[in-house]
Amino acid sequence: MLDRRTFLKTAAVASVAAPAIVRGQNLNSKLQLVGIGCEGKGWSDINAMASHDQTAFVGFCDVDLSRTEKVRKLNPDAPVKQDFRELLEDLGDKVDAATVSTPDHMHAFIGLDVMRRGKHIYCQKPLTHNVWEARQMAKQAKKSDVITRLGNQIHSHEFYRTAVHAIQGGSIGKVNRVHSWCAATGHGKSFHISRPKAPEAKPETLAWNLWLGVAPERPYGGWNVYHPWGWRDWQDFGNGALGDFGCHILDPVFTALKIDKAPMDFKADHTGMNDEVWPAQTTVDYTFPGTEFTAGEQLQITWYDGGRLPATRGSHLPAGEGLPRSGSLFIGEKGSLVLPHVGAPKVYPDAKIEKVEGKDHYHGWVDGCLSAEQPSDGFAYGGPLTEAVLLGNIAARYRGTKLTWDPEAMKITNHEDANQWLRRDYRDGWNIEAVS
Ligand SMILES: NC(=O)C1=CN([C@@H]2O[C@H](COP(=O)(O)OP(=O)(O)OC[C@H]3O[C@@H](n4cnc5c(N)ncnc54)[C@H](OP(=O)(O)O)[C@@H]3O)[C@@H](O)[C@H]2O)C=CC1
Ligand SMILES: O=C1CO[C@H](CO)[C@@H](O)[C@@H]1O
């Protein structure tokens, strides 16, 4: 029997030749989706995918049923479950693809299951919570041969595409140095640096055990402490400001300079951390192998967060020129480019840069699923990008020590102890199997 994946591919090919006939005859050639995570960014992802006229949401999952009104309105007939496994099991071959927009600690557990079932996946950034998981996600995507995309919508934005075009077109010459920074602080979002002493009663509608998932047991903390939103700065669930914004802000750096190799080493400095939350301000120095767009055989990229900013010394910016709150500064041999997050890039000394049109990131993934064409930022790209980001946070645990990295062996070669942070112990019943 023809399964839906083969059917969709056939329909996509046919629709190029005879769109009206195919659509008229076969309404079921839409991409049938489930949305996993229905509020916050989840709703934004679902809504964006639903605006593509070749999609239909056939099911939804959210651990808190009180936060599912919007998706119920979107398709009142679609089942809504708290456990994504139940949803995928029940719907079986009716599902072609999934959006995964849960907190970061659950991306790999959910994403790997989705891909093992042969479904295409759009997964929020960072791709995973730890380095080992990012490796598994990239491997499984290849093994299952599914269409993947990292939820880095700015990758397709006019401003980022324009900056990539300008740098690759030589507007600042070969690049010598990159600084990337983000205003967000660590504990700024959770307002806690240690666990609440008297946790509040959990809302009836929330399946706390499912929210915790792979993470160690702890009581529900109260609204926003962990769930929703506040999880970002807690080590068990998120990766602080670097994890939250690194994939966004370093994305144009990776894309423009065609960085496709792992960092060779990384070293962090910060304002202090405990065993629970990430630092309020962090700086990470990375050394990457050079590429065709860099001046030297190595490239230094420095990350700053929590309001820390780079010095503009050595760049082509006039003295006193301010920097945006978040963004990147590319220093080239003949000029510098400032790319705000999110804003129009500017080249120094003043030069016109050719504007490149933006694309719809969400629809691009849907089109990719329908045509079997992998977008440029699938998990083969998002995995290594996420790995680099998360390695910076391992460096934060060993403040001031330069860690050296062997990506093939997936090993920090000069500090045995640091390797423990490449992956985590999973809670009973929530193990993640390595992808063979
Ligand atoms: N690309 C971008 O611009 C942005 C990306 N993000 C990313 O999106 C993801 C979600 O972030 P955010 O929306 O702020 O976080 P939330 O805490 O609001 O979680 C998003 C949704 O996922 C639901 N959820 C949580 N755990 C599960 C689970 N195990 N199964 C199903 N649903 C679950 C939440 O449930 P509940 O209803 O109980 O809260 C909520 O509806 C993160 O990875 C984040 O990094 C976030 C913002 C912007
Ligand atoms: O772009 C974004 C906006 O802010 C959110 C909260 O810090 C981030 O998670 C997100 O990626």
Side-chain angles (χ1 to χ4, degrees), residues 358-395:
K359 291 185 174 177
D360 188 317
H361 193 70
Y362 306 91
H363 289 194
W365 172 70
V366 171
D367 291 338
C369 296
L370 290 169
S371 63
E373 257 180 58
Q374 175 58 57
S376 62
D377 57 341
F379 294 175
Y381 168 88
L385 172 63
T386 297
E387 282 193 25
V389 164
L390 300 181
L391 286 169
N393 268 347
I394 298 185

Side-chain angles (χ1 to χ4, degrees), residues 67-387:
R67 309 220 317 143
T68 55
E69 305 86 30
K70 292 175 191 146
V71 295
R72 286 177 201 274
K73 270 195 204 136
L74 183 68
N75 182 359
D77 299 325
V80 181
K81 301 276 184 187
Q82 285 178 298
D83 188 327
F84 76 95
R85 293 164 293 192
E86 222 181 287
L87 184 73
L88 291 174
E89 209 50 54
D90 287 0
L91 290 174
D93 196 35
K94 281 201 193 98
V95 180
D96 304 314
T99 58
V100 177
S101 319
T102 66
D104 303 352
H105 67 291
M106 286 300 285
H107 290 179
F109 187 88
I110 297 173
L112 288 166
D113 187 302
V114 164
M115 290 190 282
R116 280 191 204 109
R117 294 172 197 261
K119 317 295 180 197
H120 307 302
I121 172 170
Y122 181 91
C123 183
Q124 267 312 322
K125 41 52 58 178
L127 185 57
T128 57
H129 186 249
N130 64 52
V131 170
W132 179 82
E133 291 175 347
R135 254 328 134 93
Q136 306 315 305
M137 290 279 262
K139 273 194 194 173
Q140 188 66 51
K142 192 166 176 207
K143 187 171 173 183
S144 297
D145 190 24
V146 287
I147 303 298
T148 58
R149 185 158 233 188
L150 187 66
N152 239 2
Q153 67 278 13
I154 304 149
H155 182 81
S156 302
H157 195 283
E158 167 199 320
F159 296 149
Y160 275 26
R161 285 165 51 79
T162 298
V164 168
H165 181 69
I167 289 165
Q168 294 187 347
S171 68
I172 59 169
K174 300 248 183 203
V175 173
N176 275 314
R177 185 79 171 87
V178 177
H179 300 278
S180 294
W181 63 97
C182 162
T185 63
H187 348 120
K189 288 176 234 96
S190 66
F191 301 104
H192 284 272
I193 56 166
S194 53
R195 299 184 193 199
K197 295 225 163 31
E200 287 174 24
K202 168 191 92 57
E204 291 256 309
T205 49
L206 170 66
W208 180 241
N209 184 50
L210 295 178
W211 188 91
L212 273 178
V214 297
E217 195 77 55
R218 73 167 73 192
Y220 170 76
W223 183 252
N224 269 179
V225 174
Y226 312 121
H227 152 280
W229 182 264
W231 49 267
R232 285 173 169 75
D233 299 311
W234 296 93
Q235 292 164 23
D236 273 352
F237 311 120
N239 269 284
L242 174 55
D244 205 18
F245 282 95
C247 286
H248 282 317
I249 295 174
L250 292 171
D251 169 73
V253 179
F254 270 55
T255 299
L257 302 180
K258 289 209 174 142
I259 295 176
D260 59 0
K261 296 210 167 53
M264 300 147 78
D265 56 59
F266 27 89
K267 181 170 99 170
D269 168 51
H270 56 76
T271 46
M273 64 191 277
N274 60 13
D275 291 338
E276 295 281 358
V277 292
W278 293 104
Q281 296 186 310
T282 305
T283 305
V284 184
D285 283 309
Y286 293 97
T287 313
F288 282 87
T291 72
E292 62 186 289
F293 297 107
T294 63
E297 282 179 11
Q298 296 183 352
L299 174 71
Q300 206 71 35
I301 300 180
T302 305
W303 169 267
Y304 313 77
D305 63 45
R308 289 182 171 186
L309 283 174
T312 53
R313 211 177 31 250
S315 76
H316 302 78
L317 272 65
E321 181 83 341
L323 290 171
R325 279 168 52 78
S326 302
S328 290
L329 166 63
F330 298 78
I331 305 177
E333 287 176 322
K334 59 175 205 201
S336 295
L337 183 145
V338 173
L339 176 59
H341 177 78
V342 180
K346 188 164 168 21
V347 167
Y348 300 85
D350 262 349
K352 266 212 155 29
I353 45 181
E354 193 188 341
K355 189 173 134 184
V356 179
E357 289 296 312
K359 291 185 174 177
D360 188 317
H361 193 70
Y362 306 91
H363 289 194
W365 172 70
V366 171
D367 291 338
C369 296
L370 290 169
S371 63
E373 257 180 58
Q374 175 58 57
S376 62
D377 57 341
F379 294 175
Y381 168 88
L385 172 63
T386 297
E387 282 193 25

